[in-house]
Amino acid sequence: MRTHRTATALPRCLSWMVLAPIVLFTVGADDCDTQQDLDGDGWTALQGDCDDDNSDVHPEAVESCDQLDNDCDGEVDEDVQVTSYPDLDGDGFGDDAGAVLGCDIPEGFVTAPDDCDDQDPAVHPEALESCDQIDNDCDGEVDEDVQVTSYPDLDGDGFGDDAGAVLGCDIPEGFVTVPGDCDDQDPAVHPEALESCDQLDNDCDGEVDDGLETFAWYQDRDGDGYGDDATLVEACAAPETYIAQAGDCDDADPAVHPDNTDLCDGIDNDCDTEIDEDDPPRTWFQDVDGDGFGSPDAAVRSCEQPAGYVLPDSDCDDRDPAVNPDAPEVCDRIDNNCDGNEDEGFDTTLYYPDEDGDGFGTGEDAVASCMPLDGHATAPGDCDDDDPNTFPDAPETCDHLDNDCDGAVDDGLETVISYADADGDGHGDPAAPVEDCAVPDGYSSNGDDCDDADPRNAPGIEETCDFQDNDCDGEVDEGEAAPQAWYADTDGDGYGVAGEPIVDCTQPTGHAPADGDCDDDNPQAYPGALEVCDHADNNCDGAIDEGDAAPTAWYPDA
C-alpha cells in the first residue's frame, strides 16, 4: 500500500510508511535504500522490486524476452520464449528430436513440430496419405485408408474367397474387391446366385437349398426298397442312396424289411419287432450215447437240428446207449428203461453193506437186488464193520471189544488184578489196581512199588546213597549206602578242620572225608605229613620241628 507524503521535513527514507496495521517505525540510516524507489518505477525494494536500478523491472512489469526477470516472479523469460524445431527438408514442420527453446527462431528452424521424416518434404503432418508404403501424414500408420482389400476369384464369378484376402495398393490379377464366395471352385455359387435344389449353398447365406420345398428321405444302404428311420434327412430332392420309404430295421441286410416273410433264423425278418414268431426255434437235447434220446440237462434252442442233438429228452443216462425209454429192463441194478425203477419184474434179496468182508453187514442202507452185490452180505448184525474179527457168533477174546456182537465186552473170560506201573520197573502201584481179563499195557501183576514215579526205586533194587528208599524196605540209605561226613578243607591237603561237617552222599567241593588239619591255610600241614624244620607243626601232633626236623644252633664266626 502506498502512503501519503508528510508536510514536515523528514528524512527521505521515512516518506513511506505501512499503515495496516498502523505502527510507528524508527528507521535507521542503513535501511534507507530499501525504502527508496531508486529507479523511479514506483516500486521500492521493500515492496518487491527485484532490481531497483532498472525501471523495466518491478512486480507489475510485463515479461519480455531479455534474459531478465522483468516481473520479479523468480522466473526469467517465462511464457515469452519460443520452442523451435529444425526443418531440414523445408516443409514447414520440424523434427521433435532437435527442439530448442529461445527468444528467437534460429535460421532453418520452425515452430511446427511432428515431422516424422525431416529428410522428405512430402512427409509431414499435413501431407496427404499416398499408397507408397510410407507414413506420409506422420500419424503412425502406413497407407491407411488408401490400400485396397482384394480377394482371389478362382472361378471367375466376380466374388472372391474371404480366406485369401490381401491388402495392397493394387488389385492383383485374378483378384476382385467383392468378397463372400463360399465355394470359389464353382462359378454357380456366389452371394448373388439363385438357390437351386442341389444340396449346395448356392447363394452363400449359410443355408443349403433354403426357400425350396423339402421332403423326408431315408438312406437305403442295402437296396431293398426300405430306408433306415434313423437316417432321416429333409431335402428338396433325394440324396444318393436315399429313398422316400422308411421302416427298414436292418439296413445292412437286403433280406430284412417289412415285406419279408419271418423265418426261423433268430432275426426279425419282417421288422415287426418279433423274432421267429411264425416259425419259432425248437429245443434240442444232446444225445451223447447216440441211442436217439437226449439228456434233459443239456439243451439248446435252434431252428436247425445241431449235430449230436435230438428232440426226445427222456434219456436217464446219456453215457450208456443200453439205457433209454425203449430199452428192456435187465437184472443189473440199473434203471434200463428210464421209468424210475431198477430191476422191476425180478426177484430181489436184501443186501447189507459189508465193509470188512466178514460175511455180516450193518443193518443200515440195505439194498434190494436181484443179483449179489460186491461189498454186501445177506446177513445183518455186524456191530463193527471195520473189524473182520467182530461179527455175530465170533469167539470172544480178551481185547476189550464186543467180538460176538452180543453187547458185552470180554464176557465169559477169567479176570486178574493188575496194578498201574507208571515208571515201567515191573512193579505196580498198590494204590492203583484194576481188574481185567489180562494185564493191560502199562500195568504189572505186582503191586509192591513204593515209588511208582521213579524206576530206580522198587523191591530187589540195590540200596544206593541218594536219600531214597531204593529197595522199598522202608529205610533210606541204610548200611553201606549211608551218607558220609565231609569237613571243610580250604588248602586242599585232604584233611579238613573239625567242626560242623556236611553229611552227603557225594563229596562237596572244598571238603575232605577226614578232619584233624591243624592249619587249613597251609597245604604242607596235616596229620601224617613229614615234619620239616620250618617253625610249623607239619604233622599236626602238637609239636613244632621235633625229631630230625629240630633246628640247629648256629654261632657267630668272628
Side-chain angles (χ1 to χ4, degrees):
M1 178 182 293
R2 181 171 295 183
T3 62
H4 63 278
R5 294 181 181 273
T6 61
T8 60
L10 296 174
R12 185 178 180 183
C13 62
L14 295 179
S15 62
W16 299 90
M17 299 192 329
V18 179
L19 301 180
I22 299 175
V23 181
L24 180 61
F25 293 95
T26 301
V27 181
D30 293 340
D31 296 324
C32 188
D33 289 345
T34 64
Q35 301 296 319
Q36 298 182 40
D37 179 15
L38 301 180
D39 56 9
D41 57 9
W43 294 81
T44 68
L46 186 63
Q47 291 174 314
D49 195 337
C50 56
D51 185 357
D52 204 30
D53 291 326
N54 188 343
S55 60
D56 293 328
V57 176
H58 55 78
E60 290 184 353
V62 176
E63 190 74 21
S64 59
C65 195
D66 54 5
Q67 300 296 312
L68 298 177
D69 180 12
N70 303 96
D71 54 7
C72 292
D73 63 354
E75 296 183 70
V76 175
D77 296 343
E78 74 276 9
D79 303 327
V80 295
Q81 293 189 85
V82 178
T83 300
S84 55
Y85 308 88
D87 180 18
L88 300 180
D89 55 10
D91 58 7
F93 292 87
D95 183 358
D96 297 29
V100 297
L101 185 67
C103 295
D104 302 312
I105 301 174
E107 185 176 357
F109 280 69
V110 294
T111 58
D114 298 332
D115 195 339
C116 55
D117 185 355
D118 203 32
Q119 302 292 327
D120 188 345
V123 176
H124 55 78
E126 291 183 358
L128 294 178
E129 190 71 22
S130 302
C131 194
D132 54 5
Q133 300 297 311
I134 297 174
D135 180 13
N136 305 97
D137 54 6
C138 293
D139 63 355
E141 298 184 69
V142 175
D143 297 344
E144 72 277 8
D145 303 327
V146 295
Q147 292 191 85
V148 178
T149 301
S150 54
Y151 308 88
D153 181 18
L154 301 180
D155 55 12
D157 57 8
F159 294 86
D161 183 358
D162 297 32
V166 295
L167 186 66
C169 297
D170 302 312
I171 301 174
E173 185 175 356
F175 280 68
V176 295
T177 59
V178 181
D181 198 338
C182 54
D183 185 354
D184 202 33
Q185 302 292 328
D186 189 345
V189 176
H190 54 78
E192 292 183 358
L194 294 178
E195 194 71 22
S196 60
C197 186
D198 55 5
Q199 296 295 310
L200 299 175
D201 179 14
N202 304 97
D203 54 6
C204 294
D205 63 355
E207 297 185 60
V208 175
D209 298 342
D210 52 308
L212 304 176
E213 183 179 5
T214 60
F215 306 92
W217 305 98
Y218 306 89
Q219 189 172 21
D220 180 18
R221 289 186 294 266
D222 57 11
D224 58 7
Y226 290 86
D228 182 356
D229 296 32
T231 62
L232 168 66
V233 296
E234 295 284 340
C236 55
E240 187 177 359
T241 74
Y242 279 71
I243 60 176
Q245 181 64 53
D248 199 337
C249 56
D250 184 355
D251 201 37
D253 188 347
V256 176
H257 54 77
D259 282 344
N260 202 3
T261 300
D262 196 39
L263 305 174
C264 184
D265 55 5
I267 298 173
D268 180 13
N269 306 99
D270 53 5
C271 293
D272 63 355
T273 71
E274 295 184 68
I275 296 176
D276 300 342
E277 71 272 15
D278 297 328
D279 186 11
R282 288 180 287 181
T283 301
W284 303 87
F285 301 91
Q286 190 173 24
D287 180 18
V288 175
D289 56 14
D291 57 7
F293 293 87
S295 169
D297 298 327
V300 295
R301 292 271 295 171
S302 175
C303 295
E304 301 292 335
Q305 181 178 5
Y309 284 75
V310 295
L311 287 175
D313 65 343
S314 50
D315 199 337
C316 55
D317 184 355
D318 200 36
R319 295 167 298 176
D320 189 347
V323 175
N324 59 68
D326 288 344
E329 193 70 23
V330 295
C331 181
D332 54 5
R333 295 200 66 244
I334 296 174
D335 181 13
N336 305 98
N337 56 12
C338 295
D339 63 356
N341 299 308
E342 294 180 0
D343 302 337
E344 68 270 18
F346 294 89
D347 293 333
T348 60
T349 300
L350 283 178
Y351 289 88
Y352 304 91
D354 180 17
E355 296 291 336
D356 56 13
D358 57 10
F360 290 85
T362 60
E364 300 175 355
D365 301 325
V367 177
S369 176
C370 59
M371 59 183 295
L373 300 178
D374 290 340
H376 288 70
T378 58
D382 198 337
C383 55
D384 184 354
D385 204 31
D386 292 323
D387 187 353
N389 295 315
T390 299
F391 54 86
D393 298 333
E396 195 71 23
T397 60
C398 186
D399 54 6
H400 296 93
L401 300 175
D402 179 14
N403 304 101
D404 54 6
C405 294
D406 62 356
V409 175
D410 297 339
D411 52 310
L413 302 178
E414 183 179 354
T415 61
V416 296
I417 302 297
S418 53
Y419 305 88
D421 181 13
D423 57 11
D425 58 7
H427 296 267
D429 184 357
V434 296
E435 185 176 1
D436 204 343
C437 58
V439 178
D441 290 341
Y443 281 75
S444 172
S445 59
N446 298 317
D448 54 0
D449 200 337
C450 58
D451 183 0
D452 200 36
D454 191 340
R456 296 173 298 177
N457 300 327
I461 293 179
E462 183 179 355
E463 191 74 18
T464 60
C465 184
D466 56 4
F467 299 102
Q468 298 189 59
D469 182 10
N470 305 103
D471 53 7
C472 290
D473 62 356
E475 295 184 68
V476 176
D477 296 343
E478 71 274 15
E480 295 179 359
Q484 184 176 346
W486 303 90
Y487 303 90
D489 179 17
T490 303
D491 56 12
D493 57 8
Y495 290 86
V497 296
E500 293 186 5
I502 295 177
V503 179
D504 203 345
C505 294
T506 58
Q507 181 177 1
T509 301
H511 287 70
D515 61 353
D517 198 337
C518 55
D519 184 357
D520 203 32
D521 291 324
N522 184 1
Q524 305 301 322
Y526 54 86
L530 178 66
E531 190 73 20
V532 295
C533 183
D534 57 0
H535 304 291
D537 183 9
N538 302 103
N539 55 14
C540 294
D541 60 357
I544 296 176
D545 296 342
E546 73 273 19
D548 294 340
T552 303
W554 300 91
Y555 303 97
D557 184 8

